[in-house]
Each structure stands twice: as C-alpha cells, then as structure tokens.
Amino acid sequence: MNDNIHINVNHEVLVWARESLVLNRAQTSESTGISPKRLVQLETGEKQPTLEELKAFSKTYKRTIATLLLNKPPKEKPLPQDRRTIDSKELGHFHEKTIMAVRKARALAQSFVELREEMGMPFPKFNLSATLQDNPREIAQKIRRHLQLDEIREVEDVKIALEAYIEIIESLGIAVFQLSLTQDNVRGFAIVDDIVPIIGIKRGGEQAHSKTFTLFHELGHILLNEGAITDLSLNPTSELEKWCNAFSAEVLVPTSELLNMAIVIDYQRREEREWKLKDLVELGKYFHVGPLAILRSLFEQKLTTKKFYQEKHAQWNKSKGFGKAKDPKGRELHKEALTEKGRTYVSLAFKAYDQNRINLKDLSDFLGVKLSYIPKTRQLLNA
C-alpha cells in the first residue's frame, strides 16, 4: 500500500541530504535500491518519492524523515579542513562515519552548552591564540605553565592522566569528546566555527598515551584558529601539521626535562644513538607518551639517527604496533557514554537530574543511553 503513497518534498532537500554525506548518485542508488534514473527524477523534482523511498533515503542519509520534509535545505556548517597526509586523490572525501562523528561532536557540544547554562555554569570564553610565525615550542612552554601541567606528571596511570588533561582543556572553554573514528585513517579533529571550540579524538583502537598526543595536537589547531581533520602523521609535509606536532611534543615532553633525564644523559655519555625499547618505554611512562613520541623528540635533538627513527617508526606504527589498543571487547554502552562525553559532562548531567533541573528522560537523552543503562553509568562514574 505504501508504494502508492507519494510524499511532497522539496527535491533540493534530497540533493542536500545526499551531498552532506559526500555520496554520489551511484552510491546512493546502490544503498537505497532506487534506480539511477528514478533518483535523477526525484532530485530534479520531476517525480515525488513514495513513503518507502523516503524511508530508504532517511536510512542512507542518516537523517530523520522530518528533516527530509523541510521546506528548504538547512544551512549546515562545513567539515573542518582535511589535513590528512594520505594519497591526494582521497583528500576532501570522507566516509559517512567520519562525517557523522563530526556531526555528533557538534550536537554534543550544543548539549554540553545547554547543560552548563541550565546549571548556571556557562562555558568560559576560549581566549588563547598563536600564529604559525610563533615558535611552537615556546608556545607549548607557556601553555604548560598556564595550565600547570607539571602537577599531572605525578599521576602514574596514563588513563587517569588523560582524563585530567581533558578536564584541564575543557576548563579553557573547549568541548572534548572521544568518538568512534573507524574510517579514513582519522585520529582526531578540531572545530573552531561552532558555539565553542571542539576537539574530537579517536575513542577505540588507540592507547591512552596516543590519545593524549592527539588531544594536544588538536589544541594546537584551536590555538591557531585552524579547524582540521587529521591523521597525525609523524612526518607531515604541511607547516600547519608540523607546527601542531611540535607543539604537542613539547607540551608533553619538554626538551629541557628530557635532556636532564638520567637515561638520556647516559646515552649521550656513551654516544649511543640506537635506543633500547625498554628505555624508551620507561621515558614514555614518565612523560605520559608512547615510545614513538619519545623517539621523535630524541630525533629532533639529534640524539638518534634518521635511519633508526624511520625504521622504528615503520615497525611500531603498524596496525598491531605501539599506539594501538588491543582488540576491543563487546560493546558496553555505559562505558562508551562516559568515555565519549567525559566525566565533566556526565557528572553535570547527573547533577542537573539530582537537582530536578532535568527529568529522567532528559538525562537519558543527554547521556545518550537507554533508561536501563543509567544506574550502570552512575556507578561507573562514581567508581
């Protein structure tokens, strides 16, 4: 019966919905089962879609039917600049899951702002800045002092340290989320054109020390007011990515401290430039980074050879190398909610509920979990 029901839509909205996911007509036809000829008719307004076709569009475009029934295409902010270093033919083209992650970050930021305003705690205005002409290491040293990052050095557990770094960056007026970034070799992104600056970092498949480096790399983008989607290549070609890498490295591994470490002094004394993994790991634990980040800093200080650095980079940066987390377990939605949104956001949501500022349904919506998962989420938060 639904095949005979045609729905009046603005064909420009259908075009907008498809193009917002960077899908061509061939891809859409394959996904929806709607023939290419029929798709052209619908997108030019020659024909109107049936209800079943509209449902197919809704599923493929990840848009509600209500959105597809809008009178005109809504204005949607563009994706951050593509700053990946993969083959140039791929640049500017993202998998729909990457696009959805950016959309989700914008939606979560809006929710975070609403929560804070509901609690009388508006986001502070982010007021730090830098330029590419500034020395990234000097800016990093200023940021370290400004944020008093030395205090976190005492934290041994790198996962707890990551949470502390995130909370400090949020205190500057930046929303930070850990999202599912499974496509396009993306490890993080920075958004500077929203209600608050946003940092998104890859949730799964990364160890905490790799996430920490990503976090400060993206902070570099926000300082420069340059939004970006990045893969954090250790050998970038653009000056912007080089700047953000150098900034993140110096924030986490201050050169003056590194050169004064007993292990480093011993290697210099022996004029040894090929480093043992256990020594790199030991240094990494102190600085909350992985062995690759330490080796990069040593290479910058000419304390290892280019050949050794490149060999280890190639070896450890493989899919099962350093910086990659072990195979994920089955999904635990309450844990995902806490990791994705962060302790500050989740704590604020529960506080708003406890003070009767939002109801249980609102709490479920803010947390992004079903009602049955709320007790587990609170229990995890208080663990």
Side-chain angles (χ1 to χ4, degrees):
M1 180 177 68
N2 287 340
D3 289 341
N4 297 321
I5 300 176
H6 289 75
I7 311 297
N8 289 325
V9 302
N10 182 340
H11 63 278
E12 293 179 351
V13 174
L14 296 181
V15 175
W16 161 81
R18 174 174 60 79
E19 292 181 344
S20 70
L21 274 185
V22 199
L23 295 175
N24 57 40
R25 284 176 174 166
Q27 292 169 320
T28 298
S29 179
E30 181 179 355
S31 176
T32 61
I34 298 171
S35 71
K37 180 180 178 180
R38 173 69 174 169
L39 187 58
V40 170
Q41 292 174 330
L42 296 176
E43 288 195 349
T44 58
E46 181 182 343
K47 301 285 186 180
Q48 291 290 344
T50 65
L51 181 57
E52 290 304 312
E53 287 172 333
L54 204 60
K55 289 179 179 179
F57 283 136
S58 175
K59 182 177 180 181
T60 294
Y61 298 152
K62 309 296 188 295
R63 302 283 186 180
T64 65
I65 289 180
T67 298
L68 298 179
L69 293 175
L70 290 172
N71 292 328
K72 60 182 180 179
K75 291 183 178 180
E76 192 164 46
K77 294 176 180 175
L79 292 174
Q81 185 72 30
D82 190 351
R83 298 292 182 180
R84 293 171 297 162
T85 57
I86 61 175
D87 187 55
S88 59
K89 68 181 180 181
E90 297 294 333
L91 295 179
H93 299 277
F94 291 103
H95 191 280
E96 64 180 57
K97 289 185 178 180
T98 301
I99 297 172
M100 293 301 295
V102 174
R103 279 194 206 160
K104 185 170 190 177
R106 292 187 187 276
L108 286 173
Q110 179 68 51
S111 295
F112 204 178
V113 168
E114 290 174 4
L115 262 179
R116 293 182 68 105
E117 289 179 345
E118 182 67 37
M119 298 300 293
M121 302 166 54
F123 259 102
K125 183 173 178 56
F126 183 76
N127 57 10
L128 302 176
S129 64
T131 71
L132 281 176
Q133 286 67 49
D134 292 324
N135 185 315
R137 290 178 175 81
E138 291 180 1
I139 297 299
Q141 290 159 11
K142 291 179 181 178
I143 291 293
R144 276 197 66 82
R145 292 192 295 270
H146 179 70
L147 300 182
Q148 299 179 326
L149 296 184
D150 286 340
E151 296 180 4
I152 302 180
R153 186 66 53 70
E154 305 300 321
V155 178
E156 293 185 4
D157 189 321
V158 68
K159 292 181 180 179
I160 296 176
L162 172 62
E163 290 182 356
Y165 286 130
I166 288 174
E167 288 183 12
I168 285 178
I169 288 180
E170 286 177 335
S171 73
L172 296 175
I174 299 174
V176 181
F177 307 110
Q178 295 187 55
L179 301 158
S180 178
L181 295 169
T182 60
Q183 304 293 327
D184 303 320
N185 201 34
V186 172
R187 286 181 59 187
F189 57 82
I191 298 174
V192 296
D193 65 349
D194 218 293
I195 46 178
V196 294
I198 304 168
I199 290 175
I201 57 180
K202 186 175 181 179
R203 183 176 70 226
E206 296 282 315
Q207 292 185 0
H209 57 66
S210 296
K211 294 180 182 182
T212 300
F213 191 91
T214 302
L215 178 69
F216 284 100
H217 177 100
E218 303 305 338
L219 175 60
H221 276 287
I222 291 178
L223 286 169
L224 296 172
N225 198 36
E226 290 280 356
I229 297 178
T230 58
D231 57 9
L232 272 76
S233 166
L234 293 183
N235 294 293
T237 55
S238 78
E239 292 304 312
L240 178 62
E241 290 304 291
K242 288 179 182 178
W243 196 100
C244 292
N245 269 356
F247 168 79
S248 184
E250 185 67 22
V251 166
L252 293 169
V253 189
T255 302
S256 59
E257 286 191 60
L258 180 66
L259 296 179
N260 281 316
M261 298 295 288
I263 296 175
V264 177
I265 292 173
D266 181 58
Y267 269 76
Q268 286 183 288
R269 179 183 60 78
R270 294 186 287 110
E271 297 184 351
E272 178 59 64
R273 304 183 76 193
E274 293 193 359
W275 291 72
K276 293 180 180 179
L277 175 58
K278 68 178 182 65
D279 293 329
L280 295 173
V281 169
E282 184 176 341
L283 289 169
K285 286 182 178 178
Y286 177 78
F287 289 107
H288 296 144
V289 299
L292 268 179
I294 292 293
L295 194 59
R296 179 190 184 282
S297 294
L298 293 170
F299 176 66
E300 290 291 327
Q301 298 305 312
K302 304 187 186 312
L303 296 179
T304 188
T305 66
K306 184 175 182 180
K307 179 182 177 183
F308 184 79
Y309 170 67
Q310 290 180 334
E311 285 178 353
K312 295 306 178 184
H313 174 257
Q315 178 183 343
W316 296 341
N317 207 37
K318 292 178 181 178
S319 59
K320 292 185 181 295
F322 290 97
K324 305 292 181 180
K326 296 180 181 179
D327 292 337
K329 301 177 182 179
R331 293 188 67 182
E332 297 179 278
L333 299 181
H334 59 298
K335 290 184 178 180
E336 286 186 18
L338 183 58
T339 301
E340 177 180 84
K341 299 168 182 65
R343 287 187 172 274
T344 303
Y345 178 112
V346 174
S347 296
L348 205 58
F350 276 111
K351 187 175 181 179
Y353 172 71
D354 291 340
Q355 294 182 5
N356 296 318
R357 294 174 181 266
I358 60 175
N359 60 33
L360 193 59
K361 176 62 169 60
D362 294 332
L363 178 61
S364 174
D365 290 340
F366 276 119
L367 296 179
V369 298
K370 295 180 179 179
L371 295 174
S372 59
Y373 281 93
I374 288 178
K376 288 185 177 180
T377 307
R378 188 192 283 271
Q379 185 178 13
L380 184 63
L381 176 66
N382 296 330

Short mmCIF file of all heavy atoms in Angstrom, two decimals, residues 110-148:
data_model
loop_
_atom_site.label_atom_id
_atom_site.label_comp_id
_atom_site.label_asym_id
_atom_site.label_seq_id
_atom_site.Cartn_x
_atom_site.Cartn_y
_atom_site.Cartn_z
N GLN A 110 26.55 21.26 21.65
CA GLN A 110 25.32 22.02 21.91
C GLN A 110 24.68 21.55 23.22
O GLN A 110 24.26 22.37 24.05
CB GLN A 110 24.34 21.84 20.75
CG GLN A 110 23.02 22.57 20.92
CD GLN A 110 23.17 24.07 20.88
OE1 GLN A 110 23.77 24.61 19.95
NE2 GLN A 110 22.63 24.76 21.87
N SER A 111 24.65 20.23 23.43
CA SER A 111 24.07 19.67 24.66
C SER A 111 24.89 20.09 25.88
O SER A 111 24.33 20.40 26.94
CB SER A 111 24.02 18.15 24.57
OG SER A 111 23.13 17.72 23.56
N PHE A 112 26.20 20.08 25.73
CA PHE A 112 27.10 20.46 26.83
C PHE A 112 26.87 21.91 27.23
O PHE A 112 26.79 22.25 28.42
CB PHE A 112 28.55 20.25 26.39
CG PHE A 112 29.52 20.05 27.52
CD1 PHE A 112 30.86 19.81 27.25
CD2 PHE A 112 29.12 20.08 28.85
CE1 PHE A 112 31.77 19.60 28.28
CE2 PHE A 112 30.02 19.89 29.88
CZ PHE A 112 31.35 19.65 29.60
N VAL A 113 26.73 22.77 26.23
CA VAL A 113 26.45 24.19 26.50
C VAL A 113 25.12 24.33 27.22
O VAL A 113 24.99 25.09 28.20
CB VAL A 113 26.45 24.99 25.19
CG1 VAL A 113 25.89 26.40 25.41
CG2 VAL A 113 27.87 25.08 24.61
N GLU A 114 24.10 23.60 26.77
CA GLU A 114 22.78 23.68 27.40
C GLU A 114 22.84 23.20 28.85
O GLU A 114 22.22 23.81 29.74
CB GLU A 114 21.79 22.83 26.60
CG GLU A 114 21.44 23.40 25.25
CD GLU A 114 20.56 22.47 24.43
OE1 GLU A 114 20.17 21.40 24.97
OE2 GLU A 114 20.27 22.79 23.26
N LEU A 115 23.57 22.11 29.09
CA LEU A 115 23.71 21.60 30.44
C LEU A 115 24.35 22.62 31.36
O LEU A 115 23.90 22.88 32.48
CB LEU A 115 24.56 20.32 30.43
CG LEU A 115 23.85 18.97 30.45
CD1 LEU A 115 24.87 17.85 30.40
CD2 LEU A 115 22.96 18.83 31.67
N ARG A 116 25.43 23.21 30.88
CA ARG A 116 26.16 24.18 31.70
C ARG A 116 25.30 25.41 31.97
O ARG A 116 25.31 25.94 33.09
CB ARG A 116 27.47 24.56 31.02
CG ARG A 116 28.48 23.42 30.94
CD ARG A 116 29.78 23.87 30.30
NE ARG A 116 30.49 24.81 31.15
CZ ARG A 116 31.58 24.49 31.87
NH1 ARG A 116 32.06 23.27 31.84
NH2 ARG A 116 32.17 25.40 32.62
N GLU A 117 24.56 25.85 30.97
CA GLU A 117 23.69 27.01 31.17
C GLU A 117 22.57 26.68 32.14
O GLU A 117 22.18 27.52 32.97
CB GLU A 117 23.13 27.47 29.82
CG GLU A 117 24.19 28.11 28.93
CD GLU A 117 23.64 28.53 27.58
OE1 GLU A 117 22.52 28.08 27.23
OE2 GLU A 117 24.33 29.29 26.86
N GLU A 118 22.05 25.46 32.06
CA GLU A 118 21.00 25.02 32.98
C GLU A 118 21.49 25.04 34.42
O GLU A 118 20.74 25.35 35.35
CB GLU A 118 20.54 23.61 32.61
CG GLU A 118 19.43 23.05 33.47
CD GLU A 118 18.12 23.79 33.29
OE1 GLU A 118 17.81 24.20 32.14
OE2 GLU A 118 17.40 23.97 34.29
N MET A 119 22.78 24.74 34.60
CA MET A 119 23.37 24.71 35.94
C MET A 119 23.99 26.04 36.33
O MET A 119 24.63 26.15 37.38
CB MET A 119 24.43 23.60 36.00
CG MET A 119 23.88 22.20 35.76
SD MET A 119 22.61 21.73 36.98
CE MET A 119 23.61 21.65 38.46
N GLY A 120 23.82 27.07 35.50
CA GLY A 120 24.42 28.36 35.80
C GLY A 120 25.93 28.37 35.70
O GLY A 120 26.61 29.13 36.39
N MET A 121 26.46 27.53 34.82
CA MET A 121 27.90 27.40 34.64
C MET A 121 28.27 27.54 33.17
O MET A 121 28.69 26.58 32.52
CB MET A 121 28.39 26.05 35.17
CG MET A 121 28.09 25.79 36.63
SD MET A 121 28.32 24.04 37.06
CE MET A 121 29.99 23.75 36.51
N PRO A 122 28.07 28.71 32.57
CA PRO A 122 28.36 28.86 31.14
C PRO A 122 29.83 28.57 30.83
O PRO A 122 30.70 28.74 31.68
CB PRO A 122 28.01 30.33 30.87
CG PRO A 122 28.11 31.00 32.21
CD PRO A 122 27.68 29.98 33.21
N PHE A 123 30.06 28.13 29.60
CA PHE A 123 31.43 27.87 29.18
C PHE A 123 32.26 29.15 29.26
O PHE A 123 31.82 30.21 28.83
CB PHE A 123 31.44 27.39 27.71
CG PHE A 123 31.59 25.90 27.56
CD1 PHE A 123 30.50 25.11 27.28
CD2 PHE A 123 32.84 25.30 27.69
CE1 PHE A 123 30.63 23.74 27.13
CE2 PHE A 123 32.99 23.93 27.53
CZ PHE A 123 31.88 23.15 27.25
N PRO A 124 33.48 29.06 29.79
CA PRO A 124 34.37 30.23 29.71
C PRO A 124 34.74 30.47 28.25
O PRO A 124 34.77 29.54 27.45
CB PRO A 124 35.59 29.79 30.53
CG PRO A 124 35.56 28.29 30.51
CD PRO A 124 34.11 27.91 30.46
N LYS A 125 35.00 31.70 27.90
CA LYS A 125 35.36 32.02 26.53
C LYS A 125 36.83 31.67 26.30
O LYS A 125 37.70 32.13 27.02
CB LYS A 125 35.11 33.50 26.22
CG LYS A 125 35.40 33.88 24.78
CD LYS A 125 34.98 35.30 24.49
CE LYS A 125 35.33 35.69 23.05
NZ LYS A 125 34.73 34.79 22.06
N PHE A 126 37.09 30.87 25.29
CA PHE A 126 38.47 30.50 24.97
C PHE A 126 39.19 31.72 24.43
O PHE A 126 38.76 32.33 23.45
CB PHE A 126 38.49 29.37 23.94
CG PHE A 126 39.88 28.89 23.61
CD1 PHE A 126 40.57 28.08 24.50
CD2 PHE A 126 40.50 29.27 22.43
CE1 PHE A 126 41.86 27.64 24.21
CE2 PHE A 126 41.78 28.83 22.13
CZ PHE A 126 42.46 28.02 23.03
N ASN A 127 40.27 32.12 25.06
CA ASN A 127 40.91 33.38 24.67
C ASN A 127 42.41 33.26 24.44
O ASN A 127 43.14 34.25 24.53
CB ASN A 127 40.65 34.45 25.73
CG ASN A 127 41.12 34.03 27.12
OD1 ASN A 127 41.82 33.02 27.26
ND2 ASN A 127 40.75 34.79 28.13
N LEU A 128 42.89 32.04 24.15
CA LEU A 128 44.30 31.86 23.85
C LEU A 128 44.48 31.76 22.33
O LEU A 128 43.59 31.29 21.63
CB LEU A 128 44.83 30.58 24.51
CG LEU A 128 44.70 30.51 26.03
CD1 LEU A 128 45.18 29.16 26.54
CD2 LEU A 128 45.49 31.64 26.69
N SER A 129 45.62 32.21 21.85
CA SER A 129 45.84 32.16 20.40
C SER A 129 47.33 32.11 20.08
O SER A 129 48.17 32.41 20.94
CB SER A 129 45.21 33.38 19.70
OG SER A 129 45.85 34.57 20.13
N ALA A 130 47.63 31.71 18.86
CA ALA A 130 49.00 31.66 18.38
C ALA A 130 48.96 31.78 16.86
O ALA A 130 47.89 31.70 16.24
CB ALA A 130 49.69 30.36 18.81
N THR A 131 50.11 31.96 16.25
CA THR A 131 50.21 32.01 14.79
C THR A 131 51.33 31.07 14.35
O THR A 131 52.18 30.66 15.15
CB THR A 131 50.53 33.43 14.28
OG1 THR A 131 51.90 33.75 14.62
CG2 THR A 131 49.61 34.47 14.91
N LEU A 132 51.31 30.75 13.06
CA LEU A 132 52.36 29.88 12.53
C LEU A 132 53.74 30.52 12.62
O LEU A 132 54.75 29.82 12.55
CB LEU A 132 52.05 29.52 11.07
CG LEU A 132 51.00 28.43 10.84
CD1 LEU A 132 50.74 28.25 9.35
CD2 LEU A 132 51.45 27.12 11.46
N GLN A 133 53.77 31.84 12.78
CA GLN A 133 55.06 32.51 12.91
C GLN A 133 55.64 32.35 14.32
O GLN A 133 56.83 32.57 14.55
CB GLN A 133 54.92 34.00 12.57
CG GLN A 133 54.75 34.29 11.08
CD GLN A 133 53.44 33.79 10.52
OE1 GLN A 133 52.37 34.05 11.09
NE2 GLN A 133 53.50 33.05 9.42
N ASP A 134 54.80 31.98 15.27
CA ASP A 134 55.27 31.75 16.64
C ASP A 134 56.03 30.43 16.71
O ASP A 134 55.72 29.47 16.00
CB ASP A 134 54.10 31.70 17.61
CG ASP A 134 53.40 33.03 17.77
OD1 ASP A 134 54.10 34.06 17.73
OD2 ASP A 134 52.16 33.05 17.92
N ASN A 135 57.02 30.39 17.58
CA ASN A 135 57.76 29.15 17.81
C ASN A 135 56.86 28.19 18.59
O ASN A 135 56.45 28.50 19.72
CB ASN A 135 59.04 29.44 18.60
CG ASN A 135 59.91 28.21 18.76
OD1 ASN A 135 59.43 27.13 19.09
ND2 ASN A 135 61.20 28.39 18.54
N PRO A 136 56.53 27.02 18.02
CA PRO A 136 55.58 26.12 18.70
C PRO A 136 56.09 25.65 20.06
O PRO A 136 55.30 25.41 20.98
CB PRO A 136 55.43 24.95 17.73
CG PRO A 136 56.65 25.00 16.86
CD PRO A 136 56.98 26.46 16.75
N ARG A 137 57.40 25.53 20.21
CA ARG A 137 57.94 25.06 21.49
C ARG A 137 57.82 26.15 22.57
O ARG A 137 57.53 25.84 23.72
CB ARG A 137 59.39 24.62 21.31
CG ARG A 137 59.51 23.34 20.49
CD ARG A 137 60.95 22.90 20.24
NE ARG A 137 60.97 21.61 19.57
CZ ARG A 137 60.79 21.45 18.26
NH1 ARG A 137 60.59 22.52 17.50
NH2 ARG A 137 60.81 20.25 17.72
N GLU A 138 57.99 27.38 22.16
CA GLU A 138 57.83 28.47 23.12
C GLU A 138 56.37 28.59 23.55
O GLU A 138 56.08 28.80 24.73
CB GLU A 138 58.32 29.79 22.51
CG GLU A 138 59.83 29.84 22.30
CD GLU A 138 60.27 31.16 21.69
OE1 GLU A 138 59.39 32.03 21.45
OE2 GLU A 138 61.48 31.33 21.44
N ILE A 139 55.45 28.45 22.59
CA ILE A 139 54.03 28.49 22.92
C ILE A 139 53.68 27.32 23.83
O ILE A 139 52.92 27.46 24.81
CB ILE A 139 53.17 28.44 21.65
CG1 ILE A 139 53.44 29.66 20.76
CG2 ILE A 139 51.68 28.37 22.01
CD1 ILE A 139 53.11 30.99 21.41
N ALA A 140 54.24 26.15 23.55
CA ALA A 140 53.97 24.96 24.38
C ALA A 140 54.44 25.18 25.82
O ALA A 140 53.76 24.80 26.77
CB ALA A 140 54.67 23.74 23.78
N GLN A 141 55.59 25.79 25.98
CA GLN A 141 56.11 26.04 27.33
C GLN A 141 55.20 27.01 28.08
O GLN A 141 54.96 26.84 29.29
CB GLN A 141 57.54 26.59 27.22
CG GLN A 141 58.55 25.55 26.74
CD GLN A 141 59.81 26.16 26.16
OE1 GLN A 141 60.04 27.37 26.30
NE2 GLN A 141 60.64 25.35 25.52
N LYS A 142 54.68 28.02 27.39
CA LYS A 142 53.75 28.95 28.02
C LYS A 142 52.46 28.24 28.43
O LYS A 142 51.92 28.48 29.51
CB LYS A 142 53.44 30.11 27.06
CG LYS A 142 54.62 31.04 26.81
CD LYS A 142 54.23 32.14 25.82
CE LYS A 142 55.41 33.07 25.55
NZ LYS A 142 55.06 34.12 24.56
N ILE A 143 51.98 27.37 27.55
CA ILE A 143 50.75 26.62 27.84
C ILE A 143 50.96 25.70 29.03
O ILE A 143 50.09 25.58 29.91
CB ILE A 143 50.29 25.82 26.60
CG1 ILE A 143 49.79 26.75 25.49
CG2 ILE A 143 49.22 24.80 26.98
CD1 ILE A 143 48.51 27.48 25.83
N ARG A 144 52.11 25.04 29.09
CA ARG A 144 52.41 24.16 30.23
C ARG A 144 52.34 24.93 31.54
O ARG A 144 51.76 24.47 32.51
CB ARG A 144 53.81 23.54 30.09
CG ARG A 144 53.87 22.31 29.22
CD ARG A 144 55.17 21.54 29.48
NE ARG A 144 55.18 21.02 30.83
CZ ARG A 144 54.58 19.90 31.21
NH1 ARG A 144 53.92 19.17 30.33
NH2 ARG A 144 54.64 19.49 32.46
N ARG A 145 52.94 26.12 31.55
CA ARG A 145 52.92 26.93 32.77
C ARG A 145 51.51 27.41 33.07
O ARG A 145 51.07 27.38 34.23
CB ARG A 145 53.89 28.11 32.63
CG ARG A 145 55.37 27.72 32.59
CD ARG A 145 56.26 28.93 32.75
NE ARG A 145 56.13 29.86 31.64
CZ ARG A 145 56.87 29.81 30.53
NH1 ARG A 145 57.78 28.86 30.39
NH2 ARG A 145 56.71 30.69 29.57
N HIS A 146 50.81 27.86 32.04
CA HIS A 146 49.46 28.40 32.22
C HIS A 146 48.51 27.35 32.77
O HIS A 146 47.68 27.65 33.64
CB HIS A 146 48.93 28.93 30.88
CG HIS A 146 47.55 29.49 30.94
ND1 HIS A 146 47.25 30.68 31.58
CD2 HIS A 146 46.37 29.01 30.46
CE1 HIS A 146 45.95 30.92 31.48
NE2 HIS A 146 45.39 29.92 30.80
N LEU A 147 48.64 26.12 32.31
CA LEU A 147 47.74 25.04 32.72
C LEU A 147 48.28 24.24 33.90
O LEU A 147 47.60 23.33 34.38
CB LEU A 147 47.49 24.09 31.54
CG LEU A 147 46.85 24.70 30.29
CD1 LEU A 147 46.62 23.63 29.24
CD2 LEU A 147 45.54 25.39 30.63
N GLN A 148 49.47 24.59 34.34
CA GLN A 148 50.11 23.90 35.48
C GLN A 148 50.13 22.38 35.26
O GLN A 148 49.74 21.58 36.11
CB GLN A 148 49.38 24.24 36.78
CG GLN A 148 49.41 25.73 37.11
CD GLN A 148 48.67 26.07 38.39
OE1 GLN A 148 47.66 25.45 38.73
NE2 GLN A 148 49.18 27.06 39.13
#
